[in-house]
Amino acid sequence: MSKKLTPREAATSMEIARVLPPGDDERAIGYGVIGLPFSGGDYLVLRDFHAASFGPPYRSVWHRNPAGEWRVYTTGRPEESCPRYISADLVEPSTVTPIDVTWLDDFTMRVFIDDVLDWTVECRATALTTMMSAMSIAMPMGAWTNKGFHAVMGHMATAMMGAGRMRLSGTHLPNGQSFMAAPRRIWEVTRSTALISGRDAGVIGPLVEQEFCGDFPLPQKGYLFADGFGHFENFDPTRHTLPTTAR
């Protein structure tokens, strides 16, 4: 689909379709904030997956506080949501809780977790994001499971997006699984406010050092994605960490 959609339109269309990419590995499709750093040291991530091969649809918010401690809030069971892949990096087991996402207009959304988070994200299409989205959408689905293609796209994103090192595939997430990510439509985050347990996170701004999730580099500049999907290595209890063993 080549039509220029707004973030709200793209997110809504995926929620209706809920079509997973083909494959025999673990897959999920949805939208979210790839990563957003705040000048005070907080870092927030949103994943809103409308379909997943390993469980029901779910939402997750990841939060890294200024002390470097990661926590995850999720609407799904930990073994059927993001902690399935990242729990080994958490300071405590993930919290299962309702997460509300409301679109205030075509380019602004609010993420709310009672007594934990009130987060508003505004984004825009730029010449760069429009070009990269058009390139990504034009690619056949099979290209997104090709490691060579992932390497080229990662180098291009690193050079052009101003978000630090970018990488779309890797050999290990914190719990040990390999992964491939395909953020097909993207928009730049221009403004964001967040109250975290009543504390103002301040303005958005790059961290002193880039943060990593396993060997996946989290961006130094905020981008929202939609029509995006991920491929993950099938869980193997002999090599991968269960969410219940989070530190």
Side-chain angles (χ1 to χ4, degrees):
M1 184 183 297
S2 59
K3 177 186 175 183
K4 292 182 181 179
L5 302 179
T6 67
R8 176 164 63 179
E9 289 171 337
T12 301
S13 66
M14 282 189 304
E15 187 172 8
I16 295 171
R18 300 189 179 190
V19 178
L20 287 169
D24 56 6
D25 51 3
E26 297 183 1
R27 289 149 287 131
I29 185 167
Y31 75 95
V33 177
I34 302 175
L36 184 61
F38 288 81
S39 58
D42 290 287
Y43 198 99
L44 289 170
V45 175
L46 170 69
R47 298 290 183 266
D48 191 347
F49 284 129
H50 300 314
S53 64
F54 47 86
Y58 71 89
R59 290 172 174 157
S60 284
V61 169
W62 315 357
H63 172 228
R64 198 208 81 160
N65 65 20
E69 299 170 332
W70 280 99
R71 290 176 172 82
V72 166
Y73 305 87
T74 181
T75 61
R77 298 170 59 194
E79 61 270 29
E80 295 177 341
S81 57
C82 287
R84 180 181 184 88
Y85 306 104
I86 67 171
S87 66
D89 271 4
L90 305 183
V91 70
E92 61 189 28
S94 55
T95 300
V96 179
T97 182
I99 300 173
D100 180 66
V101 176
T102 304
W103 287 93
L104 305 181
D105 58 44
D106 278 344
F107 290 88
T108 308
M109 70 175 178
R110 181 190 182 211
V111 183
F112 182 79
I113 304 174
D114 193 27
D115 294 328
V116 174
L117 180 68
D118 192 346
W119 178 23
T120 301
V121 180
E122 300 177 22
C123 59
R124 66 175 180 177
T126 66
L128 174 61
T129 63
T130 300
M131 179 194 72
M132 295 194 71
S133 296
M135 289 174 55
S136 297
I137 294 167
M139 295 295 174
M141 292 290 282
W144 291 104
T145 56
N146 182 286
K147 292 183 179 180
F149 173 73
H150 270 265
V152 170
M153 291 295 288
H155 288 309
M156 184 182 299
T158 298
M160 300 177 67
M161 293 176 66
R165 182 186 176 192
M166 301 293 286
R167 186 177 185 181
L168 299 180
S169 62
T171 59
H172 67 277
L173 291 168
N175 286 18
Q177 298 95 324
S178 60
F179 67 93
M180 291 178 284
R184 303 207 322 150
R185 299 180 193 266
I186 61 171
W187 294 265
E188 180 184 338
V189 175
T190 55
R191 183 175 179 273
S192 182
T193 60
L195 288 176
I196 303 170
S197 298
R199 174 178 56 83
D200 189 345
V203 299
I204 56 176
L207 301 176
V208 175
E209 295 183 7
Q210 187 166 14
E211 187 68 61
F212 283 75
C213 179
D215 64 353
F216 175 62
L218 295 170
Q220 289 287 82
K221 186 176 183 179
Y223 284 95
L224 182 146
F225 76 91
D227 190 17
F229 54 89
H231 287 262
F232 309 94
E233 184 181 0
N234 288 317
F235 182 80
D236 181 346
T238 66
R239 297 187 296 113
H240 303 145
T241 305
L242 285 171
T244 51
T245 62
R247 293 197 301 269

